[in-house]
Amino acid sequence: MSRTKSPPEPAAAPGWDYAPAPETAPVEIASRYGHFIAGEFVPAADGAEFATINPATEEELSRVARGGAEDVERAVAAARRALPRWSRLPGRERAKYLFRIARRLQERARELAVLETLDGGKPIRESRDVDVPEAARHFFYHAGWADKLEFAFPGRRPKPVGVCGQIIPWNFPLLMAAWKLAPALACGNTVVLKPAETTPLTALRLAEILQECELPPGVVNIVTGDGETGAALAAHRGVRKIAFTGSTEVGKKLAAAVAGSRRRLTLELGGKSANIVCEDASLDQAVEGVIDAIFFNQGHVCCAGSRLLVQESILEEFLEKLDWRLRSLRVGDPLDKNTDVGAINSRAQLDRIRTYLRIGLEEGGRLHECHDQPLPAKGFWCRPCYFTNVQPADTLAREEVFGPVLAVMSFRTPEEAIARANNTPYGLAAGIWSDKGSRIFALAARLQAGVVWCNTYNRFDASSPFGGYKESGFGREGGRQGLRPYLELER
Amino acid sequence: MSGERGARRVTVTKTYKLFLGGGFPRSESGRSLSVVDRRGRVVAQVCRASRKDLREAVEAAARALPDWSRRDAYNRGQILYRMAEMLEARAGEMAELLALTVPGGLRRARRETAAAVDRLVHFAGWADKFPQVLGNANPVPGPYYNFTIPEPSGVTGVVAPAEEPLLALVSLLAPPLCAGCTIVALASPEHPLAASVLGEVCAVSDLPAGAVNLLSGRREELLPHLAGHREVIAIHAAGCSRAERRQLEEGTAGNLKRVRVVDLEAEAWYDEDECHSPWWIEPFVEMKTIWHPSAY
């Protein structure tokens, strides 16, 4: 197949000027928040607290209780007390609470979106159009399962596992809370949830919603804190099932801690997902998809398409288009509705990303920033970028950066693309761009990844199972398969 | 010369060896273990597999994986059924060997052998059906075609218990095998002869070399290496002590193994409601979800 080269794009940056379009919906934030235990907000037992800041301004938003062993103990005790009644409540009644929560999330959608963007730095466009509606969708979808569980597992009688300890990350704070809570509650379990240290505010707002919905006290308990709080929760013998989303490093520690205890574990961990662009792909569509794959949520996405594999014959043309598109990305105020790339979630994460940028250069990679607009003076920022001249053994091709940094490599044949894509201990996601259906499905079948996006990327839905192969974890979230970790299957 | 007329014929005794990579090698360590019958008499010698034998078995299983996992489900089903046919044909030999060392005599041993044949037939039939039970299309919003299919996890370690050494071994390896996983199994240390004969069954069932590997030896010697091996992605075990269970699950911390440890009393292995189920296959598959836009 011959390909005529498309006319050169304008060499300069697109240079479109946008007037600021800030989201102005006001959100009230209390000066301090306690844990949510047994239906009430309570301070930490030892009075400890920590600040949560806006990463776009570095200003303090609120002070939040720091959970210790005693707080975890109280929360688990509350969840255990609530378990008998909640698990015996008929499924159709449990469902109604979940439907209520979904509705209330929809009613308070804008407030939640603004709060998410303030606390985490993600563009309002994403929190408004993805995080919050998907969170509501998760409760709505799982609500309907509550009275249908016996149809999901033929030949078995599903029973709740008990108290679940759920530890969630900072990249999709409210959405991850919904991913964890909705299936657990639908299956009749009670929960202690530990939100991420840098993004506790939307989970605490969700706690208010649970109060409004009159969810029985103790069914959901939220203990805020840091890694030590999470470790205390995972170590608690009253927790029968642990669900963790976060780094592979922490996931392996949890696995070691749980070994031999007869407690259940699901892990949704890191990734270094390959995004494969074949020479017959629709190039403009693929460029757009590659941008979405790596720069969505500043690249703070476990399934980010962070390894781009482009077929050699189209590499040059593809990179020209990618440069042009990178220059048009708007980086800055997350509350501006035109912003594409917001603030890096924390100073610690920015430091990690900068370390990877330095290593990438030291190992001989070539950095392409393209984007050259000024960045805000305060806050944590990283220009979206990509590296060329990356070898498969290089750090940027192997390790998860969790930032807006793309490693570009090439391949000649589909076999080589598969070998390169699978050459990683991770196996969370993959992307394929091609106009040939049979090629797409042949590649999709061979890629060791729990989610394969064909001619699209970063699509999520509550009905669609998500989770990894290999060291990206085990267990699925979403869909029928996502119910399995929250149930014992009895005969 | 034909020798003295009427001399008693000396029987040819069988040497029991490992089943590894499709062949029957001795342990590279040159060690063996005595098999003692219920009266305390030595009735056979089996190889005592070493750490190196285990590693070679894992390598053989990893080499067999691309072929076995990509076979048509129909083909895998026929091969498991062939295993059942071959085991049925050797049912007499198998039962006699079991009866030598397992309490309960020949009657019990015949029942165990028959149940093992039936279990193979059961999972042979699942090979081309479980994806329809465990997978499904997903009704996502928007113009997308979205479905979830199970794929084999990979090289699976099997640890057989002391009770029902044949039936349990077959029940532990058939579900991952029918899904397309390849197997490295540790035979019941107390009653290893069943695994030795099962190896001979595998060898004549058209299984690709290395799809099933069977090792006899000491559990305490081999288990840590099976649990810690990074090429082993899943474990299916039974009859484990608390310490052994912990050891297997700690292997999860290395490469995130999928570990299923079964607690079944001897009689429960015969319970078809318990053991005949796609939920025995499900721990050894990975769910792959594929999204594709639909548009003109």
Side-chain angles (χ1 to χ4, degrees):
Chain A
M1 193 183 78
S2 72
R3 172 177 286 282
T4 53
K5 208 172 171 194
S6 58
E9 301 287 358
W16 300 310
D17 283 330
Y18 286 84
E23 170 61 57
T24 53
V27 176
E28 281 180 29
I29 303 175
S31 59
R32 40 179 39 86
Y33 285 93
H35 304 307
F36 181 67
I37 297 175
E40 304 290 338
F41 286 94
V42 293
D46 61 2
E49 52 181 31
F50 63 98
T52 183
I53 65 165
N54 179 344
T57 62
E58 302 178 52
E59 285 163 9
E60 183 175 311
L61 292 169
S62 183
R63 298 189 69 78
V64 178
R66 184 188 297 279
E70 199 179 328
D71 301 305
V72 167
E73 182 62 48
R74 280 152 63 193
V76 173
R80 290 178 80 160
R81 279 195 304 276
L83 182 66
R85 288 189 71 175
W86 180 251
S87 59
R88 276 189 234 121
L89 198 63
R92 65 167 190 280
E93 304 301 325
R94 282 204 308 274
K96 288 179 198 164
Y97 284 109
L98 271 75
F99 281 125
R100 268 191 200 172
I101 296 165
R103 284 299 194 223
R104 202 68 193 112
L105 284 169
Q106 290 171 327
E107 285 161 0
R108 296 179 68 170
R110 190 54 50 88
E111 168 199 357
L112 287 161
V114 172
L115 188 60
E116 195 75 302
T117 285
L118 285 173
D119 203 18
K122 64 171 59 200
I124 186 71
R125 184 167 56 81
E126 292 177 10
S127 51
R128 182 195 64 201
D129 296 350
V130 180
D131 294 67
V132 176
E134 284 288 319
R137 160 85 177 135
H138 262 267
F139 279 100
F140 200 92
Y141 173 80
H142 286 95
W145 270 124
D147 60 352
K148 302 169 189 69
L149 297 171
E150 69 244 52
F151 302 105
F153 301 96
R156 289 291 186 263
R157 283 183 306 139
K159 296 279 183 262
V161 295
V163 175
C164 301
Q166 304 182 317
I167 302 168
I168 58 172
W170 45 259
N171 56 345
F172 296 92
L174 178 69
L175 182 55
M176 288 300 109
W179 275 36
K180 293 279 183 285
L181 291 174
L185 299 183
C187 292
N189 304 285
T190 58
V191 174
V192 178
L193 179 80
K194 208 289 281 179
E197 187 182 6
T198 61
T199 55
L201 294 184
T202 45
L204 294 166
R205 193 66 49 117
L206 175 62
E208 291 176 19
I209 289 176
L210 302 179
Q211 282 181 324
E212 289 172 1
C213 294
E214 296 173 332
L215 187 74
V219 170
V220 172
N221 306 276
I222 299 176
V223 178
T224 47
D226 55 16
E228 284 181 31
T229 315
L233 177 59
H236 198 293
R237 293 277 160 161
V239 173
R240 299 314 301 165
K241 187 234 158 19
I242 296 152
F244 171 77
T245 297
S247 72
T248 293
E249 184 194 352
V250 175
K252 287 180 174 180
K253 281 186 192 156
L254 283 177
V258 171
S261 70
R262 297 187 179 239
R263 300 187 299 142
R264 299 167 59 135
L265 177 68
T266 46
L267 299 170
E268 205 272 85
L269 307 175
K272 192 75 198 180
S273 298
N275 204 359
I276 300 169
V277 183
C278 301
E279 61 188 2
D280 65 344
S282 160
L283 279 202
D284 291 323
Q285 198 192 344
V287 167
E288 213 48 46
V290 166
I291 293 277
D292 189 39
I294 183 62
F295 301 127
F296 177 54
N297 199 32
Q298 296 73 248
H300 301 328
V301 184
C302 47
C303 53
S306 54
R307 280 189 301 153
L308 179 64
L309 296 167
V310 182
Q311 200 152 16
E312 211 169 74
S313 52
I314 56 160
L315 181 63
E316 198 182 329
E317 184 186 357
F318 189 89
L319 291 183
E320 276 173 27
K321 286 176 179 283
L322 189 65
D323 282 357
W324 186 80
R325 184 66 182 86
L326 260 174
R327 281 196 292 275
S328 71
L329 287 177
R330 303 185 62 82
V331 185
D333 181 7
L335 277 175
D336 192 309
K337 293 173 212 165
N338 292 322
T339 292
D340 296 305
V341 179
I344 298 302
N345 183 266
S346 66
R347 179 172 298 283
Q349 187 56 25
L350 182 59
D351 290 345
R352 266 193 291 275
I353 296 169
R354 285 182 174 158
T355 301
Y356 276 113
L357 293 175
R358 183 172 51 72
I359 293 172
L361 290 168
E362 283 169 5
E363 291 181 346
R366 200 173 142 224
L367 173 65
H368 305 254
E369 272 187 334
C370 307
H371 182 275
D372 56 3
Q373 296 159 44
L375 296 175
K378 290 199 84 178
F380 314 132
W381 309 97
C382 178
R383 291 182 197 280
C385 64
Y386 69 91
F387 273 83
T388 53
N389 203 28
V390 179
Q391 307 306 317
D394 290 348
T395 306
L396 282 185
R398 291 185 293 110
E399 295 187 14
E400 183 174 42
V401 177
F402 224 63
V405 182
L406 176 67
V408 180
M409 289 166 280
S410 65
F411 67 94
R412 288 179 193 158
T413 64
E415 286 293 329
E416 192 189 1
I418 289 164
R420 287 198 156 193
N422 289 341
N423 182 22
T424 166
Y426 292 119
L428 190 49
I432 303 166
W433 299 85
S434 165
D435 263 2
K436 188 173 172 188
S438 57
R439 175 173 296 152
I440 286 173
F441 285 106
L443 286 167
R446 297 275 305 277
L447 289 168
Q448 293 168 341
V451 184
V452 180
W453 284 293
C454 312
N455 290 328
T456 184
Y457 207 99
N458 277 341
R459 291 290 166 272
F460 308 95
D461 183 58
S463 74
S464 178
F466 183 92
Y469 282 38
K470 303 195 285 187
E471 294 188 23
S472 289
F474 43 70
R476 293 292 177 268
E477 295 183 292
R480 180 169 62 110
Q481 291 78 5
L483 302 170
R484 176 71 189 89
Y486 291 101
L487 294 165
E488 299 287 355
L489 298 185
E490 294 180 359
R491 284 202 286 128
Chain B
M1 290 287 287
S2 59
E4 191 187 332
R5 282 177 172 223
R8 191 171 150 268
R9 180 179 176 272
V10 178
T11 53
V12 178
T13 54
K14 188 187 274 186
T15 307
Y16 296 96
K17 296 199 278 188
L18 307 177
F19 181 55
L20 198 163
F24 294 92
R26 293 181 198 282
S27 168
E28 60 81 31
S29 66
R31 300 173 306 174
S32 59
L33 292 169
S34 298
V35 180
V36 179
D37 75 5
R38 285 181 289 147
R39 295 187 191 124
R41 292 180 310 200
V42 174
V43 289
Q45 305 288 330
V46 293
C47 293
R48 178 177 160 191
S50 66
R51 175 185 188 174
K52 188 155 181 286
D53 295 318
L54 177 77
R55 280 205 212 124
E56 281 180 17
V58 173
E59 279 170 30
R63 276 195 305 276
L65 186 64
D67 176 11
W68 183 244
S69 62
R70 279 186 234 137
R71 294 278 181 111
D72 294 340
Y74 178 32
N75 183 254
R76 284 201 307 269
Q78 288 181 93
I79 289 174
L80 261 82
Y81 184 75
R82 180 75 177 158
M83 288 170 68
E85 290 178 333
M86 293 296 108
L87 183 56
E88 182 83 64
R90 287 164 175 265
E93 179 194 3
M94 184 65 96
E96 280 172 25
L97 281 177
L98 285 169
L100 272 180
T101 65
V102 185
L106 197 55
R107 219 179 124 99
R108 192 217 64 84
R110 287 200 184 112
R111 177 176 177 236
E112 182 183 351
T113 307
V117 172
D118 291 354
R119 192 125 310 157
L120 282 169
V121 172
H122 178 79
F123 283 100
W126 270 124
D128 55 4
K129 294 164 198 72
F130 79 86
Q132 294 173 308
V133 177
L134 300 181
N136 44 256
N138 304 308
V140 298
Y144 295 97
Y145 181 51
N146 179 298
F147 55 95
T148 297
I149 46 170
E151 292 195 341
S153 294
V155 175
T156 300
V158 164
V159 181
E163 292 182 320
E164 320 311 294
L166 172 68
L167 177 59
L169 175 62
V170 166
S171 304
L172 293 168
L173 70 76
L177 187 65
C178 87
C181 296
T182 55
I183 309 292
V184 175
L186 308 186
S188 166
E190 295 82 355
H191 312 290
L193 297 179
S196 297
V197 177
L198 190 67
E200 294 162 19
V201 166
C202 292
V204 293
S205 298
D206 284 338
L207 271 170
V212 172
N213 303 275
L214 299 164
L215 303 178
S216 49
R218 295 234 167 107
R219 194 187 255 196
E220 68 273 18
E221 184 182 351
L222 299 173
L223 200 70
H225 303 304
L226 187 67
H229 201 298
R230 295 185 68 86
E231 290 248 22
V232 177
I233 191 64
I235 300 273
H236 204 185
C240 293
S241 68
R242 281 181 71 141
E244 287 167 339
R245 186 185 185 111
R246 171 185 288 271
Q247 196 164 47
L248 287 172
E249 290 179 355
E250 276 172 350
T252 300
N255 66 335
L256 294 171
K257 280 186 185 63
R258 290 72 169 128
V259 179
R260 179 177 193 242
V261 182
V262 181
D263 294 309
L264 288 181
E265 298 300 320
E267 191 56 31
W269 290 102
Y270 297 90
D271 180 352
E272 295 187 350
D273 288 342
E274 173 63 44
C275 301
H276 284 188
S277 159
W279 304 108
W280 280 60
I281 303 171
E282 185 248 8
F284 306 100
V285 296
E286 300 294 327
M287 292 297 170
K288 178 181 275 181
T289 297
I290 299 179
W291 290 71
H292 197 293
S294 70
Y296 292 111

